[in-house]
Amino acid sequence: MKQHRLTRTVAIAMAASFALAACGGDDDSSSDAGGAESGSEGGDALSGRLVGAGASSQESAMTAWIAGYLEVEPEVEVQYDAVGSGAGREQFLAGATDFAGSDAYLDEEERGMVGDACASGEAINFPMYISPVAVPYNLPGVDELNLAPEVLAGIMNGDITMWNDEAIAADNPDADLPEQEITVVHRSDESGTTENFMEYLTAAAPDAWPHEASDAWPIEGGEAAAQTTGVMQVINSTEGTIGYADASAVTGQSASIGVGEEFVPFSPEAAAKVVETSESADTGVEGDLALDLARDTTESGAYPIVLVSYHIACKEYDDADRANNVKAFLSYVASEEGQQAASDAAGSAPIGENTREQIMSSIDMIQGG
């Protein structure tokens, strides 16, 4: 697992290095940012280095953001270490990075530690990356599969063990379901995808899913595989399997999930719809955009199993250059150009216009010096 993350980090760093060489950028050591438009608030060109670390879920998107931003601000080098959400938050709170990438917003305990990193003692969570978590399966001849939340939870909890179980058949009357055992494929490593998937099961089917959400799979049995690629390798090669994975890695069969009176397949648009209808979390920080996702939504056309990954930045930095670098990069990431770059590279769902307006307003609150 550590080796896999190291490989991703090197790949992101190399992408930034190659782009810098192509653009003629230098390797300065200050910080600054400015969205799809070049220059700081005063109109001066930006320069320096911006350092982030955190969620590996943002790997492909971050590579695209770094490359795209270098075309906007060729004198700014952006580095990102995909060490995972927890480690990324730890590095940010220790003041070792300018921003963090995280599949979870700062909790109450972490918010109390921000003073070591941020001049004002406050940080803002920006929801920048939205990706559906798909439910892939391998059943030859069953091209469509509908799963209500309680049925999906029953399968994952090991209570529904056969593919032709009457609970599955009830929502799939036209499917030729085999008399075959179900094999659940889950992550063997600690995973933000696992935590987000479990949060959905807890919210949507609490009676059928008795486990608290965490980044570690709580049930013995089934097939365990490391990373999204490992999960998909097992599912794609083994009939009778079902699991969960970032939708960008799923190219075969995947279930439609029960939402209200309909069954909704995953799509970037359906995932973004959940974010648009979710409520803000009460963190006590003005301008914070942490979300309590509406995973039990009944909104038509919404896909509720979704991962939202944040960029976490200080509300106030110790100098103006550093603050400007952060503001400019975050503005680019949130822009239509930046979101499209991530969508093209990672298959993520671009944030909605309402979310973008909120992000830009909160970015304006960042100060320095």
Side-chain angles (χ1 to χ4, degrees):
M1 179 176 170
K2 290 183 179 178
Q3 180 63 43
H4 192 51
R5 282 178 173 169
L6 177 60
T7 301
R8 288 198 295 247
T9 300
V10 171
I12 292 173
M14 288 178 65
S17 177
F18 291 152
L20 275 168
C23 295
D26 56 27
D27 186 24
D28 215 334
S29 59
S30 64
S31 292
D32 221 304
E37 296 182 359
S38 177
S40 65
E41 291 180 3
D44 297 329
L46 304 175
S47 64
R49 181 184 297 134
L50 187 65
V51 179
S56 59
S57 60
Q58 298 184 29
E59 171 194 356
S60 297
M62 186 61 72
T63 301
W65 285 327
I66 290 173
Y69 187 63
L70 283 167
E71 296 181 5
V72 177
E73 292 291 351
E75 301 301 318
V76 179
E77 178 185 0
V78 181
Q79 298 177 346
Y80 184 78
D81 191 358
V83 294
S85 296
R89 294 195 304 275
E90 289 177 3
Q91 291 186 26
F92 173 74
L93 293 172
T97 59
D98 299 308
F99 71 97
S102 176
D103 294 341
Y105 58 80
L106 295 175
D107 62 26
E108 184 176 359
E109 180 179 357
E110 290 169 325
R111 292 196 296 273
M113 301 165 60
V114 171
D116 292 336
C118 303
S120 65
E122 292 183 324
I124 298 176
N125 300 278
F126 297 91
M128 295 292 203
Y129 178 82
I130 304 169
S131 179
V133 177
V135 180
Y137 65 93
N138 187 337
L139 284 180
V142 182
D143 295 330
E144 295 182 3
L145 182 67
N146 297 326
L147 294 176
E150 298 79 8
V151 175
L152 176 59
I155 292 171
M156 293 295 164
N157 198 45
D159 298 321
I160 298 174
T161 60
M162 299 295 292
W163 277 112
N164 64 343
D165 188 285
E166 61 182 14
I168 301 176
D171 290 322
N172 298 275
D174 298 327
D176 185 14
L177 297 170
E179 187 177 352
Q180 182 178 1
E181 287 189 5
I182 298 172
T183 300
V184 173
V185 184
H186 57 84
R187 292 281 288 267
S188 62
D189 54 317
E190 295 181 353
S191 161
T193 305
T194 296
E195 184 170 5
N196 278 271
F197 182 62
M198 290 174 64
E199 285 178 355
Y200 163 74
L201 295 175
T202 300
D207 293 336
W209 183 256
H211 312 283
E212 292 186 6
S214 73
D215 57 8
W217 189 250
I219 303 169
E220 295 183 1
E223 291 287 337
Q227 308 294 336
T228 298
T229 53
V231 169
M232 290 312 305
Q233 285 173 358
V234 174
I235 292 175
N236 289 336
S237 63
T238 310
E239 293 184 12
T241 52
I242 187 171
Y244 58 93
D246 188 291
S248 64
V250 178
T251 58
Q253 298 169 312
S254 64
S256 295
I257 303 302
V259 179
E261 300 298 319
E262 61 185 348
F263 290 91
V264 182
F266 80 80
S267 71
E269 296 76 16
K273 197 167 186 179
V274 171
V275 176
E276 290 293 313
T277 59
S278 295
E279 296 183 357
S280 298
D282 183 11
T283 64
V285 178
E286 183 182 2
D288 193 24
L289 299 176
L291 294 171
D292 284 332
L293 293 174
R295 299 187 185 278
D296 56 351
T297 182
T298 57
E299 181 80 12
S300 177
Y303 184 82
I305 316 179
V306 58
L307 179 150
V308 172
S309 200
Y310 297 88
H311 287 178
I312 304 173
C314 291
K315 198 169 183 179
E316 183 176 348
Y317 288 89
D318 53 6
D319 67 77
D321 287 342
R322 192 178 182 204
N324 284 337
N325 268 340
V326 172
K327 293 174 70 173
F329 181 66
L330 296 185
S331 295
Y332 170 77
V333 170
S335 70
E336 291 187 30
E337 178 183 343
Q339 288 294 301
Q340 189 60 52
S343 180
D344 292 343
S348 56
I351 59 176
E353 190 57 37
N354 181 56
T355 301
R356 187 187 343 275
E357 291 175 359
Q358 292 177 330
I359 288 174
M360 292 304 188
S361 178
S362 293
I363 288 174
D364 286 341
M365 295 182 181
I366 296 176
Q367 300 178 0

